[in-house]
Amino acid sequence: MSTSIPFPKVEAGKFKYKAVVYTNYGTPLTYQEVAFDLPDPTDPTKFVKDDEILIKVKAASINPVDLILHQFTLKFIKRGQLKGFGGDVSGDVLQVGSAIKDYKVGDRIVADILDLVGPNGSFGEYAVINMKTYTLLSKIPDGMTYQQAAALPIVSGTSFCLLEDSGIDLKGKNVLILGGGSSVGTSGIMFAKYFFGAKNVIATCSPRSSEKTLKAGADKVVDYSKGAKHEFDEVVSIVKEIGKFDFILDTIRDTVFLNDLNKVLKTAKEGGKYSVVAGSASLNYEKVSVLDFLPSRALLKNAVGYKLGLCKYNVATESLHKNENWGPAIKKLFEEGHFNANIDSVFTVDELDKNIKKVASGASKGKVVCSFE
């Protein structure tokens, strides 16, 4: 580790640094000094507990879930306490607890440390990673920048978890990615094609995303901007060529196929599955409504029907969870030249507000990353 990297300042038994925080949905995000208790007030050189890692943050990225948490944090939730913003983070390890065996000072690491209403976020000069509560954690592959790494955890972790959790051996199989131009979608394409070995990866996307979707590894793309009928008919015509899909990864809560799964998806008995990424159906995060998160009638009918044994198709809404296989998968594909971060732009923390609006409105064409270097 470079000795030029300073530790947080210490005052009166607390260590302090600047970070983006808020109190509740009615308060703005502010970049200000925050204070954390030292594990041992008598030792001003120790910043972490035995199962924690302190990192100097190099980059963090904005995710819709960050905006959702801010908007849904009511005034009575940990009233008056500051909440940290963000979960995706990359940086250098400055200090490790005594129980940490897999990481050492100087390691470049990437993680998802999202804490629902906790004080420790990814948008700050430093971050503390608790080994019990992180979702994703891995060393950054050689050759990958901090900005590229920070763009990966939540989006690529989500697609990886849903593909792995399918329980299907996807090698040589057919996979359909709905919303292939999204960050979850493009990472899902790369994992499906190059890590899980799918034979045919078909993706739906808009014309502006078709090039990057094909570059990610999709064998064919379908333009969903031409309407539901065009999207449905095009996918069905592809099915006639390659056969029904073994797995459908729906990153955008698309309802086009849910009433006619018999035409595109193998039954559960045949090994088929349809996984929907949990989130807002409107994909508009400027003003989030609880109603946006309610399942569509078609989704509810299929999901509940399957659980009750009344539906032949395995349909489920799923989300990111702790996964130790994600990091090695990223490393493998990156070293093979099959994985790229889907970055729209890089900004500095003083430009946070306008970049949050960019993500919230859906104007970004990939991940929006904040550099702290």
Side-chain angles (χ1 to χ4, degrees):
M1 180 192 70
S2 171
T3 57
S4 64
I5 300 177
F7 283 91
K9 66 179 180 180
V10 177
E11 293 179 352
K14 296 180 180 292
F15 64 97
K16 302 179 178 181
Y17 58 86
K18 295 186 72 175
V20 176
V21 292
Y22 63 97
T23 304
N24 56 59
Y25 72 93
T27 60
L29 297 171
T30 59
Y31 188 52
Q32 66 179 69
E33 186 174 79
V34 293
F36 297 89
D37 292 330
L38 289 167
D40 181 357
T42 66
D43 186 354
T45 66
K46 184 178 180 181
F47 298 90
V48 294
K49 298 176 183 177
D50 292 345
D51 59 352
E52 294 178 337
I53 297 173
L54 174 70
I55 68 169
K56 177 68 178 72
V57 174
K58 295 292 186 176
S61 67
I62 304 172
N63 288 284
V65 66
D66 306 328
L67 313 185
I68 293 169
L69 289 176
H70 181 207
Q71 293 182 48
F72 280 178
T73 301
L74 302 177
K75 293 181 179 180
F76 64 82
I77 299 176
K78 294 190 176 180
R79 184 183 298 274
Q81 294 186 29
L82 294 178
K83 286 84 175 175
F85 180 77
D88 282 357
V89 67
S90 65
D92 293 328
V93 175
L94 289 184
Q95 193 172 85
V96 296
S98 60
I100 307 298
K101 305 301 180 185
D102 297 328
Y103 298 91
K104 65 182 185 304
V105 173
D107 282 345
R108 301 191 320 136
I109 63 174
V110 57
D112 168 28
I113 59 170
L114 190 67
D115 188 348
L116 296 184
V117 288
N120 185 43
S122 61
F123 279 71
E125 296 175 313
Y126 301 86
V128 174
I129 300 176
N130 186 298
M131 299 302 284
K132 295 179 181 178
T133 61
Y134 75 83
T135 304
L136 300 169
L137 176 62
S138 181
K139 294 177 184 177
I140 299 174
D142 292 341
M144 181 180 287
T145 68
Y146 292 106
Q147 290 77 26
Q148 290 172 323
L152 298 180
I154 289 180
V155 292
S156 70
T158 297
S159 64
F160 184 82
C161 282
L162 268 62
L163 285 161
E164 186 178 64
D165 292 350
S166 71
I168 305 168
D169 180 0
L170 294 173
K171 188 174 183 179
K173 304 294 178 59
N174 297 332
V175 174
L176 174 64
I177 309 285
L178 303 179
S182 68
S183 294
V184 177
T186 53
S187 62
I189 292 168
M190 290 183 276
F191 282 131
K193 189 71 175 180
Y194 301 115
F195 186 81
F196 293 102
K199 180 180 180 180
N200 296 296
V201 178
I202 311 301
T204 67
C205 63
S206 66
R208 75 172 188 175
S209 299
S210 61
E211 183 178 351
K212 72 174 180 181
T213 303
L214 288 167
K215 187 177 180 180
D219 295 286
K220 290 185 179 180
V221 296
V222 174
D223 182 1
Y224 59 47
S225 69
K226 292 183 178 181
K229 186 178 186 305
H230 172 82
E231 179 185 359
F232 183 83
D233 290 345
E234 284 293 301
V235 171
V236 169
S237 69
I238 293 172
V239 167
K240 291 178 180 177
E241 297 176 16
I242 66 174
K244 292 182 179 180
F245 291 99
D246 299 273
F247 183 66
I248 298 178
L249 173 60
D250 183 355
T251 75
I252 54 174
R253 276 68 71 187
D254 190 347
T255 61
V256 171
F257 304 97
L258 287 173
N259 290 318
D260 294 284
L261 289 175
N262 61 306
K263 295 183 179 180
V264 295
L265 180 67
K266 291 181 179 179
T267 65
K269 189 175 182 179
E270 295 170 323
K273 185 176 182 181
Y274 187 115
S275 290
V276 184
V277 177
S280 167
S282 70
L283 302 180
N284 185 334
Y285 298 94
E286 291 184 287
K287 190 173 183 180
V288 181
S289 167
V290 174
L291 297 177
D292 288 336
F293 293 87
L294 296 178
S296 67
R297 181 179 298 179
L299 175 58
L300 192 62
K301 176 184 175 182
N302 280 284
V304 174
Y306 177 73
K307 289 184 178 180
L308 295 176
L310 303 175
C311 177
K312 296 187 295 183
Y313 297 93
N314 184 357
V315 178
T317 298
E318 299 175 301
S319 58
L320 173 67
H321 55 77
K322 181 170 285 192
N323 192 305
E324 302 300 337
N325 297 324
W326 168 79
I330 289 288
K331 183 177 186 294
K332 179 179 185 296
L333 294 193
F334 184 76
E335 291 177 347
E336 293 173 351
H338 291 312
F339 203 96
N340 297 297
N342 183 25
I343 295 179
D344 173 271
S345 56
V346 178
F347 67 98
T348 53
V349 71
D350 57 302
E351 303 171 307
L352 180 63
D353 286 346
K354 72 176 184 180
N355 281 281
I356 282 179
K357 291 178 181 177
K358 185 177 186 179
V359 173
S361 66
S364 61
K365 298 179 181 179
K367 291 304 298 294
V368 177
V369 179
C370 181
S371 176
F372 285 88
E373 291 191 272

